[in-house]
Amino acid sequence: MAITAADVKKLRDATGAGMMDAKKALTEADGDFEAAVEILRVTGQAKMAKRSDREASNGLVASAGKSVIHLAAETDFVAKNAEFVALADEIAQAVDGSGATDVAAANAVVLASGKTVGDTVAELAAKIGEKLEVANAANYDGDVSIYLHKRSQDLPPQVGVMVEYDGGDEDFVRGIAMQIAAMSPQYVTRDDVPAEVLAHERHIAELTAKEDGKPAQIIPRIVEGRLGGFYKDVVLLEQASVSDDKKTVGQLLKENGVTVKRFVRFAAGA
């Protein structure tokens, strides 16, 4: 059966496949449109399997209501794709509406199309030709402030921070979210640092002090000093404020009557 340009266009419009892939599928199916669609679905899944071990560390972040998501791709070129951006916004809204609090729950949410988030992302991945995935998702139920940061003006936001808090006002807390975006703390307070993480840092500090030839009797003091520096790097309340470097974030929060309950920071790209 002769394959016409109109046949190829119809299949491309229905599946998003490339011209050569659409023509090849129609030829293999001897012009049977439904069979060609099935062929493209199968080959698309095969391509997805080959991409499964590739790293999707780029992409974008999006938010809606009290939710933030990271829709990941392999390149920032895809992050600018209009269909990719629109899907990220749709997922963020669906996550917010469903109350999904993690990636597994987010992927299970059903979109307006009747398909799940996971299936919809997989279909777009087959169409675009890159590994795509919902890399992170969060949904909070208290008062929140969200900040989305653009690393480049020609790209969508690639850093997203959501802070859940008590007291104060959202404008002030947005400044705290900007602090988190810029300084990448991992914990709110010292008490939030897992014991195994602290033990590892203490061990490294002890070994470093010994390698430096420090006297045994002063090593405990050196270790505590280095742990203090570690806390200033990774604990939000102990970081120097980027808006007032004479104060810690903890001091600013106290002055403004704000308690940070928790936060998430999702980042795409380098």
Side-chain angles (χ1 to χ4, degrees), residues 162-265:
M162 179 166 61
V163 180
E164 187 177 39
Y165 66 97
D166 283 332
D169 62 77
E170 188 178 350
D171 285 342
F172 170 77
V173 181
R174 188 170 187 274
I176 302 301
M178 294 173 71
Q179 165 96 25
I180 294 167
M183 302 307 293
S184 306
Q186 299 174 44
Y187 313 100
V188 178
T189 70
R190 286 192 181 200
D191 291 340
D192 297 325
V193 182
E196 61 272 20
V197 172
L198 193 56
H200 176 71
E201 290 299 322
R202 185 181 297 277
H203 179 63
I204 295 299
E206 289 175 350
L207 290 180
T208 302
K210 289 175 181 176
E211 285 291 323
D212 290 343
K214 301 299 183 183
Q217 65 271 23
I218 68 168
I219 287 180
R221 190 164 69 249
I222 293 172
V223 168
E224 291 307 312
R226 288 180 174 166
L227 286 178
F230 168 74
Y231 285 132
K232 289 177 182 178
D233 283 339
V234 304
V235 174
L236 174 64
L237 269 59
E238 304 206 16
Q239 286 186 340
S241 169
V242 294
S243 62
D244 184 352
D245 60 10
K246 293 182 174 59
K247 295 179 180 179
T248 65
V249 173
Q251 288 171 324
L252 285 182
L253 290 169
K254 186 174 182 179
E255 289 173 3
N256 286 271
V258 175
T259 299
V260 171
K261 298 170 68 176
R262 53 180 172 169
F263 67 84
V264 290
R265 180 185 185 276

Side-chain angles (χ1 to χ4, degrees), residues 126-140:
K127 179 178 179 179
I128 288 177
E130 279 198 13
K131 180 179 180 180
L132 309 179
E133 63 184 4
V134 177
N136 285 296
N139 184 303
Y140 288 166

Side-chain angles (χ1 to χ4, degrees), residues 44-95:
Q45 289 299 317
K47 289 178 181 178
M48 281 290 291
K50 291 179 181 178
R51 289 195 295 271
S52 63
D53 60 349
R54 281 151 53 176
E55 185 176 358
S57 58
N58 217 293
L60 59 81
V61 294
S63 69
K66 298 182 179 183
S67 298
V68 178
I69 63 117
H70 169 197
L71 184 58
E74 293 180 52
T75 65
D76 61 8
F77 179 78
V78 168
K80 295 184 283 188
N81 178 287
E83 196 170 356
F84 183 81
V85 173
L87 178 58
D89 288 337
E90 184 180 7
I91 291 171
Q93 292 168 18
V95 166

